[in-house]
Amino acid sequence: MNTNNSISLKRVKAAYERQFGNDYRFFSAPGRINIIGEHTDYNEGFVLPAAIDKKIYLAIKETNDSKVNLFALDMEESACFDLNKPQPDLPHWAKYVFGVVKELEELGSKVSGFNATFGGDIPAGAGLSSSAALESVFGFALNNIFGLNRSTLQLAKVGQMAEHNYAGVNCGIMDQFASLHGKAGKALKLDCRSLEHEYFTVDTGDYEFILTDTHVKHSLAESAYNKRRYECEEGVMLLQSQMVQVHSLRDVKPKDVVAYENILGEEIMLRCLYVTEEIERVRDAAEALETNDLERLGELMYKSHAGLRNQYMVSCAELDLLVDLTKDNPDVLGSRMMGGGFGGCTLSLVKSSGIEHFEKIAVENYQKTFGKTPSFYPISISDGAQEILR
Ligand code: GLA
């Protein structure tokens, strides 16, 4: 466990004990990186995420009534709601918890009241899926403390639905799935149509993945995220008029997208072209991991960024600069924006001995252009949601 993890863990336990007493169970769920496969999940494509060692920790205990008492340690904010009453006015973070409870009830699971304190070390708004980690840790913990017998796949869907119905983001299933199914040292290739997954060992040898945080918060982009989703759906509808067997962009090849540009129009064509090409890149990247071809993996990451920037148009100047700065650096094999876009982090594959230099270049140029300093997070790939025995 890294130092930040153990600090968070102790802080959460101490805060719970101060407020609610010594009798509780303890859980964690991680954020994620995504090696490649961006905006492909809601198009029934493939993704290649991995859970990381930045997590949310949760101390929780059921009560005998219908009241839920929550304390968010990092925000130092409390919230409560009654399971038998309509949704009260809640702070943003508490809507995710309320949503998870309601979506579990929707499945027919019986949840009663509980006390809970949580906190962690996933930077919020950095594109590392802190909200999915929150949904996952609550889903996982409630499943355990109330003996609900839900599978981790069901819990991932519960988290996704909480996001749709209570936070207003029509996200795909990647983040929640990765937070619940991650494995130390492995990336998981998820088929977002069948929801089958396969693990791939991530052995980066002399290289490592590093996140660079632009500190551009991406929450304002929620409506643009939903807009991209509609654009893809529109693309599918238009393609269906020519290719009856098309159910999602998963069924379409890049060459078909190009062939039907006159029907799609330029903008929708570019969106669909990006998605269909990115789906192919995930297959290639998984193969590159398998054969330990890091150069190939790096090239695919650069191509993914170019597509996200020029075709899908979900990047921003800060992300683009950070990626561009790596292009002449021989220590960097690949770099790209990661997650929903419009801010958050880049993910780069950098030679370990060159990390210091890589950071120096980024800091100097980023400060010069944007007047602020990016942060760097080294990552190690870890296990998904779990109970931590006390
Ligand atoms: C966000 C969503 C995911 C996925 C990514 C983009 O993280 O929550 O479902 O769509 O953006 O790949």
Side-chain angles (χ1 to χ4, degrees), residues 32 34 36-43 47 127-129 131-132 160 163-164 169-176 218 225 229 274 278 308 312 314 336-341:
R32 60 104 189 90
N34 185 23
I36 206 159
E38 224 62 88
H39 291 273
T40 46
D41 57 356
Y42 53 83
N43 286 301
V47 289
L128 305 182
S129 296
S131 62
Q160 183 193 15
E163 192 100 27
H164 285 204
V169 182
N170 287 330
C171 65
I173 199 165
M174 168 170 73
D175 305 345
Q176 293 79 4
H218 69 164
Y225 181 94
R229 229 189 135 135
Y274 162 75
E278 182 80 348
L308 287 158
Y312 215 60
V314 290
R336 64 179 205 84
M337 58 146 277
M338 197 193 73

Side-chain angles (χ1 to χ4, degrees), residues 38-286:
E38 224 62 88
H39 291 273
T40 46
D41 57 356
Y42 53 83
N43 286 301
E44 296 191 328
F46 293 90
V47 289
L48 194 60
I52 56 174
D53 61 340
K54 295 194 177 299
K55 303 182 186 197
I56 290 182
Y57 296 91
L58 168 67
I60 186 167
K61 168 79 182 158
E62 67 278 18
T63 56
N64 295 323
D65 56 26
S66 57
K67 294 209 177 57
V68 173
N69 298 301
L70 303 169
F71 182 59
L73 180 57
D74 300 322
M75 267 87 65
E76 295 202 24
E77 226 174 42
S78 298
C80 46
F81 55 85
D82 191 313
L83 293 165
N84 297 330
K85 296 194 179 146
Q87 181 178 354
D89 198 14
L90 290 171
H92 189 62
W93 57 266
K95 290 184 185 156
Y96 295 104
V97 183
F98 185 85
V100 167
V101 171
K102 291 295 146 187
E103 292 298 334
L104 281 169
E105 286 179 349
E106 215 28 55
L107 283 182
S109 291
K110 180 90 194 75
V111 172
S112 67
F114 56 90
N115 295 326
T117 299
F118 71 90
D121 57 5
I122 309 176
L128 305 182
S129 296
S130 55
S131 62
L134 184 60
E135 291 144 11
S136 299
V137 80
F138 271 94
F140 191 85
L142 295 172
N143 191 43
N144 273 275
I145 67 171
F146 294 114
L148 306 178
N149 273 325
R150 296 294 165 196
S151 67
T152 41
L153 175 58
Q154 282 178 311
L155 296 178
K157 289 183 181 169
V158 160
Q160 183 193 15
M161 285 304 122
E163 192 100 27
H164 285 204
N165 298 330
Y166 297 86
V169 182
N170 287 330
C171 65
I173 199 165
M174 168 170 73
D175 305 345
Q176 293 79 4
F177 195 94
S179 185
L180 285 153
H181 297 86
K183 253 196 197 165
K186 312 265 178 195
L188 61 91
K189 179 176 162 218
L190 174 65
D191 178 337
C192 300
R193 171 172 272 174
S194 68
L195 297 178
E196 280 165 8
H197 66 290
E198 213 182 319
Y199 292 100
F200 287 82
T201 300
V202 180
D203 176 7
T204 50
D206 296 341
Y207 289 80
E208 51 198 275
F209 282 116
I210 181 159
L211 292 162
T212 309
D213 191 347
T214 58
H215 292 299
V216 177
K217 301 280 176 214
H218 69 164
S219 57
L220 290 177
E222 282 164 7
S223 58
Y225 181 94
N226 291 344
K227 183 162 181 259
R228 288 294 175 277
R229 229 189 135 135
Y230 298 134
E231 287 169 347
C232 291
E233 281 162 19
E234 203 181 325
V236 169
M237 238 169 54
L238 293 167
L239 287 165
Q240 278 167 341
S241 66
Q242 307 301 313
M243 306 163 71
V244 269
Q245 74 287 15
V246 169
H247 179 259
S248 68
L249 290 179
R250 164 75 171 271
D251 302 316
V252 184
K253 295 268 166 281
K255 67 171 175 33
D256 299 324
V257 175
V258 175
Y260 291 119
E261 178 172 2
N262 59 335
I263 285 151
L264 294 167
E266 194 190 350
E267 197 172 76
I268 302 284
M269 187 281 286
L270 284 174
R271 307 290 187 258
C272 295
L273 186 58
Y274 162 75
V275 171
T276 52
E277 288 180 348
E278 182 80 348
I279 290 173
E280 295 190 343
R281 281 192 284 268
V282 179
R283 292 187 189 162
D284 295 348

